[in-house]
């Protein structure tokens, strides 16, 4: 029953995705549907024993059915012979419908469980994939796109490492991003991004396909992840000799090894060694935390199609097709045109990310209802 | 050789003997590598100078070359350069500038002096010879002071943040990073060298921290010098990275240090204790009750300082903690004043 329901929901969304509309809350709230049954139980369960969110939900569900009854009652007045009464009914219906839509939105936002990491800052990692120099050039463009998106969102963006290729591309880079809803939105960017275009280096005008990978790692707070300093080995270039005033060296690169896991984090972005150590530590913490989260999620069964966070790293999520000036997200089958604007990292990218978020909300709602059935 | 290459060659090998270094070009390594592709890009120039430095026995050949090229291209590190700048051909002006800076490096000038700036904690500070160049260990001394200040609530009746006294401020690295991270704090910074006093002043102004720092030319070894400081006190914390190298070790220092840095900022006398003991004698008169002293020292000093303090109970000072640096060497001391 459950998987059938999910499949149905996906098909529905796929159709919606093509027509680029809002999430199908109408279908979700259909009478006799599972969400209805769920809400009716909630509305009936009263306030006793529920947490604050549950109370709000029960209240909203009750209010929703009241408003819907009111709507039905008012609708019968539309057939009244009295013109004044009819007009009054029309305006009341409009108000009622607006309230119902708002209540539905409220119910969705109350129901969609927020992830433990949603409020976190994050580490963005970009890595060139298949396609040699062209992949590295694309990786560099993608890194710039995210930097611009962070500016668009007024997030803090700090480059942690940057490994350019000899010919102007980017092999690998990472950055720390922080700000309102940063992880909540950026988590949908994790995965394999594919580019199709004629590389600058291609003489015969053939279209190449290359890839790059984005990883989004939530940055843990001090409380969520505690690292024992004894588990760390910090390597610097000053390990030999007397140190201190006796030597004057400039190599400020820092390499931190987390001994129990073998995870390595390096930084040579800054001239200050202390600063490099802080940045390397930030990265190390994010990596260890995402390993921890990955462990947690594999323990749980997860039927969602959008495998947010670190789980979708190997999935091809999006194609940037330059000859057709189109970007398509394969998870929601949504295409946008005007690639150049998209790569500017402002409204269009934001639009895509919002659609992904709506879809993920919708899907987690469906999953939740079917679980509680 | 292509014409462009020839122009470059002339440019780079350029007026021989300028800056009094004819031997620099004796090997003329440029010529032999001039046919390599990408030579005029940032990466090409970095490889070239790395090779030159290696051949001439210059330490940190690659790092030096990268820092200089990055600096000329407007970045702090080669790592932080935009990828397009890696491959973009350099302008003749940029190449000339790199050439000039690298010729200083061939003379063993420290990179920090060549660039005229360096980073310490989160700050970029102007560096100028012969003022002592802050070492990375000292960033940890500042970290420790910040930790201790954060742990302790301000004493009753005091207004604002702590008042520090820094002895031997050099470029101002310690004083200015404390000020920038503790917005309520104030610092009295002293140094006996005029060059250091004016460099600290300039750095304070660049960072707009001049209103909370009082910079005083003062030699802590001179008789009765502490009386000059009394009007500004009492202070909560004395912090210093005093000269602590044992005199006999001075001759083993690299040319970067002994030919360019002010040796008075390094030479601590026979057992490296000369200035340390002066600071410890002076501090109790200026410190608050239960005030603290934080020092960076040589690895042999924790024991020496501890026994010296035991021989001077009149100072009412006790060594409360020794901390290791990032290489695991005992490097920092926390000494506290106790009630007489």
């Amino acid at each position: 029953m459950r998987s059938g329901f999910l499949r149905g929901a996906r098909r529905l969304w796929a159709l919606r995705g093509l027509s680029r509309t809002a999430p199908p809350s109408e279908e979700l709230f259909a009478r006799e549907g599972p969400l209805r049954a769920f809400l009716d139980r909630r509305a009936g369960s009263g306030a006793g024993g529920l947490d604050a969110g549950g109370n709000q939900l029960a209240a909203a569900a009750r209010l929703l059915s009241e408003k819907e009854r009111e709507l039905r009652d008012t609708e019968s007045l539309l057939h009244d012979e009295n013109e004044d009464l009819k007009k009054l009914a029309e305006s009341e219906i409009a108000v009622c419908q607006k309230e119902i839509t708002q209540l539905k939105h409220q119910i969705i936002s109350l129901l969609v469980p927020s992830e433990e990491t949603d409020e976190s800052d994050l580490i963005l990692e970009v890595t060139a994939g298949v396609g040699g120099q062209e992949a590295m050039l694309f990786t560099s463009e993608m890194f710039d796109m995210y930097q611009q998106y962070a500016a668009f969102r007024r997030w803090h963006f700090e480059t942690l490492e940057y490994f350019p290729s000899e010919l102007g591309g980017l092999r690998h880079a990472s950055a720390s991003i922080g700000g309102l809803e940063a992880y909540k939105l950026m988590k949908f960017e994790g995965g394999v991004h594919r580019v199709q275009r004629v590389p600058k280096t291609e003489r015969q005008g053939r279209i190449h396909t290359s890839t790059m990978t984005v990883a989004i790692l939530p940055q843990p707070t001090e409380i969520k992840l505690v690292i024992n300093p004894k588990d760390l080995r910090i390597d610097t270039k000053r390990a030999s000799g007397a140190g201190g005033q006796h030597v004057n060296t400039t190599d400020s690169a820092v390499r931190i090894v987390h001994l129990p896991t073998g995870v390595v984090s390096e930084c040579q972005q800054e001239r200050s060694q202390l600063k490099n150590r802080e940045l390397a530590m930030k990265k190390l913490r994010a990596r260890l935390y995402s390993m921890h989260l990955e462990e947690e999620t594999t323990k749980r069964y997860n039927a969602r199609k959008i495998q947010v966070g670190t789980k979708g790293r190997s999935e091809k999520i999006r194609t940037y097709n330059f000859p057709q000036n189109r970007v398509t997200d394969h998870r929601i089958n949504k295409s946008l045109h005007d690639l150049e604007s998209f790569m500017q990292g402002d409204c269009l990218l934001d639009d895509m990310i919002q659609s992904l978020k709506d879809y993920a909300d919708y899907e987690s709602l469906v999953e939740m209802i079917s679980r509680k059935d | 050789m292509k014409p462009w290459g020839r122009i470059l060659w002339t440019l780079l090998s350029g007026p021989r003997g300028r800056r009094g270094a004819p031997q620099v070009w004796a090997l003329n390594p440029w010529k032999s590598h001039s046919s390599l592709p990408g030579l005029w890009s940032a990466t090409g120039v970095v490889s070239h100078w790395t090779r030159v430095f290696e051949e001439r026995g210059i330490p940190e050949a690659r790092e030096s070359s990268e820092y200089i090229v990055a600096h000329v291209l407007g970045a702090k590190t080669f790592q932080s350069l935009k990828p397009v700048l890696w491959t973009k051909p350099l302008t003749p002006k940029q190449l000339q500038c790199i050439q000039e800076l690298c010729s200083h490096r061939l003379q063993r000038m420290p990179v920090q002096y060549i660039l005229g700036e360096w980073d310490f904690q989160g700050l970029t500070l102007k560096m100028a010879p012969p003022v002592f160049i802050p070492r990375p260990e000292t960033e940890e001394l500042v970290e420790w002071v910040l930790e201790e200040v954060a742990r302790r609530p301000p004493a009753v009746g005091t207004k604002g943040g702590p008042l520090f006294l820094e002895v031997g401020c050099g470029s101002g690295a310690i004083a200015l990073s404390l000020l920038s991270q503790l917005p309520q704090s104030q610092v009295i910074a002293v140094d006996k060298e005029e060059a250091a006093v004016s460099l600290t002043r300039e750095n304070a102004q660049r960072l707009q921290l001049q209103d909370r720092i009082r910079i005083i030319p003062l030699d802590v070894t001179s008789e009765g010098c502490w009386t000059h400081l009394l009007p500004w006190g009492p202070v909560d914390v004395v912090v210093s990275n005093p000269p602590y190298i044992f005199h006999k070790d001075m001759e083993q220092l690299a040319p970067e240090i002994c030919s360019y840095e002010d040796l008075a900022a390094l030479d601590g006398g026979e057992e490296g204790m000369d200035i340390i003991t002066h600071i410890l004698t002076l501090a109790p008169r200026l410190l608050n009750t239960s005030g603290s002293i934080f020092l960076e020292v040589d690895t042999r000093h924790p024991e020496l300082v501890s026994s010296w303090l035991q021989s001077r109970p009149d100072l009412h000072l006790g060594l409360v903690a020794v901390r290791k640096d990032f290489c695991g060497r005992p490097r920092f001391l926390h000494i506290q004043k106790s009630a007489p």
Side-chain angles (χ1 to χ4, degrees), chain A residues 162 166 238 241 247 250 272, chain B residues 67 79 87 135 137 139 329:
Chain A
Y162 202 91
E166 306 264 305
R238 283 206 114 190
V247 280
T250 54
S272 152
Chain B
Y67 280 123
Q79 275 297 309
T87 45
R135 313 289 200 252
E137 283 88 345
E139 293 185 305
R329 303 184 184 99

Side-chain angles (χ1 to χ4, degrees), chain A residues 37-47 50 54 57-63 65:
Chain A
F38 179 75
L39 285 178
D40 287 347
R41 282 201 304 278
R42 276 304 180 91
S45 69
L50 286 174
L57 183 65
R62 262 198 306 277
L63 202 56
S65 47

Side-chain angles (χ1 to χ4, degrees), chain A residues 144 162 164 166-169 238-239 241-242 244-252 269 271-274 277, chain B residues 60 63 67 77 79-80 82-83 86-87 112 117 119 135 137 139-140 241-242 244 257 298 326-327 329 331:
Chain A
D144 289 348
Y162 202 91
E166 306 264 305
L167 296 171
R238 283 206 114 190
Q245 293 175 359
H246 298 81
V247 280
N248 175 21
T249 50
T250 54
D251 188 342
S252 57
Q269 199 67 20
R271 292 194 294 219
S272 152
Q273 192 181 81
L274 191 87
R277 208 175 341 154
Chain B
E60 296 194 295
E63 289 78 11
Y67 280 123
T77 57
Q79 275 297 309
S80 62
K82 281 257 151 206
W86 281 53
T87 45
Q112 297 95 329
E117 61 172 41
D119 290 357
R135 313 289 200 252
E137 283 88 345
E139 293 185 305
E140 294 187 306
N241 174 21
Y244 58 68
I257 299 173
D298 185 85
F326 56 83
C327 296
R329 303 184 184 99
R331 178 71 66 199

Side-chain angles (χ1 to χ4, degrees), chain B residues 215-292:
Chain B
I215 307 159
I216 303 168
L218 185 87
D219 180 357
V220 290
T221 61
S222 64
E223 193 71 35
C225 70
W226 58 277
T227 53
H228 296 282
L229 297 172
L230 271 185
W232 315 114
V235 302
D236 300 298
V237 177
V238 173
V239 59
S240 182
N241 174 21
Y244 58 68
I245 298 179
F246 288 39
H247 183 74
K248 63 176 176 358
D249 295 341
M250 289 296 290
E251 57 192 39
Q252 289 159 26
L253 298 177
E256 278 80 3
I257 299 173
C258 58
S259 316
Y260 290 91
E261 287 190 300
D262 178 9
L263 298 181
L266 298 155
D267 190 345
E270 197 186 341
E271 285 193 306
M273 292 276 285
D274 287 8
I275 309 299
I276 294 172
T277 52
H278 272 106
I279 292 172
L280 294 176
T281 313
L282 164 104
R285 303 176 206 251
L286 300 165
L287 272 177
N288 260 326
T289 34
S290 78
S292 285

